[in-house]
Amino acid sequence: MKIVVLDGYTENPGDLSWDALGALGELTVYDRTSPTDEDEIAGRIGAAQLVFTNKTPITRAVIGRCPGLRFIGVLATGYNVVDVAAAKEKGIPVTNVPSYGTAAVGQYAIALLLEICHPIGHHSDAVHAGRWERCKDWCFWDYPLIELAGKTIGIIGFGRIGQTTGRIAKALGMNVLACDPHPCAAGRAVAGYAALDALLAQSDVVALHCNLTDENAGFINRETIAKMKDGVILINNSRGQLIDEQALADALNSGKVAAAGLDVVSSEPIRGDNPLLKAKNCIITPHISWAPKESRQRIMGCAAENARAFLSGAAVNVVNP
């Protein structure tokens, strides 16, 4: 049994082990594979029966060129990099890794918010540069500091990650509103549900934790931003395509949006012409909410279990049944 990992580096830059997958067959791990070179992708899959990918696309053409392929595993929750319909036509199950990063992504959303409220990195740099030593007063701050207790956070998308963010926000003394097409008892234990327009109007902080669909792409735009409070804070570590980035940049520069904390953008890696790079009060990090070692270990474990289950004849976490 030949197993290929097309782009293993971001999942495992060397601090984890591929041994669980290696125990299932002859394993080849490539750090990176060109996402645009189908010859390279198909060539690296070659005669392998099992292939794993994180962000390397496996298209209909690639699937057609790999007749020995029997299983495709995605080292992530999202699986839009695989043509799942083409795989299904060939009888190839596509699996993903659900729920591995719930705690990490919720924690990171609050980390972005806290960095906006207390620019810790900036002030630490200022101290190390000697500004506190030279200060005439016993302390200083360069930005307004914000207390979150009593303020309202509106969370759009209130599944496992949204609820995790809501619980942390509630522990900080915040009021929590949620907007989700599927209200549930677990959600009601954390937040009050509200329609989108009501949430936008009432929230001091708006956090995005929703899946990307054809219907909600770009739904944070000039119209929806206009419905928000003046001076709102926007947090997004779900999908960059949810935001009209020029509209957000304009709102940041005008002060309508006081600050944004983003771990995702519409095109990744970020392009140099992204308007958010020059916008005021905009924190951007390189899509790392998911990446603590603990979360990546769960991906490794689940990926190996997905492969074992398939080989035993009882596939799990199949997204194209």
Side-chain angles (χ1 to χ4, degrees):
M1 184 67 62
K2 292 186 176 182
I3 307 169
V4 169
V5 178
L6 290 172
D7 49 0
Y9 185 81
T10 51
E11 160 61 23
N12 178 18
D15 56 350
L16 299 174
S17 171
W18 294 105
D19 287 352
L21 272 181
L24 301 176
E26 179 187 336
L27 176 65
T28 301
V29 179
Y30 296 99
D31 281 348
R32 301 169 185 85
T33 297
S34 171
T36 59
D37 188 341
E38 289 191 340
D39 289 337
E40 182 175 273
I41 297 168
R44 288 185 168 182
I45 295 172
Q49 290 85 24
L50 281 68
V51 63
F52 285 89
T53 182
N54 188 331
K55 294 294 183 287
T56 302
I58 300 181
T59 63
R60 178 178 292 273
V62 168
I63 291 170
R65 293 173 60 178
C66 301
L69 192 57
R70 295 173 52 201
F71 168 94
I72 299 171
V74 181
L75 296 167
T77 301
Y79 49 88
N80 58 307
V81 295
V82 179
D83 189 326
V84 293
K88 184 173 183 178
E89 291 169 13
K90 297 285 188 179
I92 301 170
V94 178
T95 66
N96 74 337
V97 180
S99 305
Y100 70 89
T102 300
V105 177
Q107 173 182 305
Y108 200 92
I110 296 298
L112 289 168
L113 177 57
L114 290 174
E115 179 61 21
I116 289 169
C117 295
H118 307 278
I120 291 170
H122 167 84
H123 287 104
S124 175
D125 289 344
V127 170
H128 282 89
R131 287 185 55 199
W132 196 14
E133 179 183 0
R134 298 189 298 271
C135 189
K136 295 180 179 179
D137 303 302
W138 63 273
C139 70
F140 69 92
W141 57 90
D142 290 335
Y143 298 96
L145 307 179
I146 301 169
E147 182 177 284
L148 290 171
K151 292 184 170 57
T152 297
I153 183 170
I155 302 174
I156 303 173
F158 211 57
R160 288 183 293 265
I161 295 174
Q163 289 171 33
T164 297
T165 299
R167 283 191 290 271
I168 302 171
K170 198 170 184 178
L172 292 171
M174 300 189 77
N175 305 309
V176 184
L177 292 177
C179 179
D180 192 281
H182 305 290
C184 63
R188 290 190 181 93
V190 179
Y193 282 94
L196 178 61
D197 283 359
L199 181 149
L200 295 176
Q202 296 175 41
S203 298
D204 302 291
V205 178
V206 173
L208 308 184
H209 283 307
C210 39
N211 295 328
L212 176 67
T213 67
D214 291 339
E215 290 72 30
N216 68 11
F219 86 101
I220 298 298
N221 51 36
R222 296 184 195 284
E223 181 180 346
T224 49
I225 291 171
K227 296 176 181 179
M228 298 179 190
K229 286 185 175 182
D230 292 346
V232 67
I233 296 170
L234 180 66
I235 304 294
N236 183 22
N237 61 334
S238 52
R239 291 291 181 266
Q241 297 92 332
L242 296 169
I243 295 176
D244 177 333
E245 291 172 334
Q246 185 62 61
L248 176 57
D250 291 345
L252 285 163
N253 291 331
S254 73
K256 170 67 180 180
V257 175
L262 312 174
D263 187 47
V264 289
V265 292
S266 60
S267 180
E268 298 175 350
I270 196 168
R271 293 172 44 173
D273 61 355
N274 190 307
L276 294 170
L277 287 171
K278 295 182 179 179
K280 296 179 181 177
N281 301 325
C282 188
I283 294 171
I284 307 173
T285 56
H287 201 150
I288 54 174
S289 297
W290 67 281
K293 185 177 181 180
E294 296 86 348
S295 295
R296 291 183 288 108
Q297 183 62 69
R298 283 190 286 272
I299 295 175
M300 300 281 276
C302 185
E305 182 54 39
N306 286 349
R308 278 193 294 268
F310 166 73
L311 293 172
S312 72
V316 296
N317 295 321
V318 177
V319 300
N320 64 337

